[in-house]
Amino acid sequence: MILQMRQERIERGWTLDYVAKNVGLTKVSIHDIEICRRKPSYEVLVKLEDLFGKTHRELFAEVKEPNG
C-alpha cells in the first residue's frame, strides 16, 4: 500500500530529499511514511500539508500500487 502523497511528490518532480529537507526529516523517513511503514508526528503532518498545499486526508489516501 502506498499513499497519495507519493504520487503527488512524483507528479511534481520532487525527490525524497527535497521533501525531507522541507519538513525536517530524512529521505528514509519520508519513504517510510509514503509506504505506511511510519506515521508522521502532528508537527510533520502540518509541514507536509503546507508543502503540498493539500489536506492530510488528501495526502494520506491509499492508492493501489502500479504493479499490484
Side-chain angles (χ1 to χ4, degrees), residues 43-56:
E43 178 182 303
V44 169
L45 185 62
V46 170
K47 289 179 181 181
L48 288 168
E49 288 178 324
D50 290 344
L51 179 64
F52 283 92
K54 302 259 181 179
T55 68
H56 65 278

Side-chain angles (χ1 to χ4, degrees), residues 25-36:
L25 295 176
T26 65
K27 295 188 300 186
V28 172
S29 294
I30 296 298
H31 177 262
D32 286 350
I33 291 169
E34 288 182 345
I35 63 168
C36 300

Side-chain angles (χ1 to χ4, degrees), residues 3-5 33 40 45 48 55-62:
L3 299 177
Q4 182 65 34
M5 183 178 101
I33 291 169
L45 185 62
L48 288 168
T55 68
H56 65 278
R57 289 182 183 209
E58 293 169 312
L59 291 175
F60 287 81
E62 296 175 16

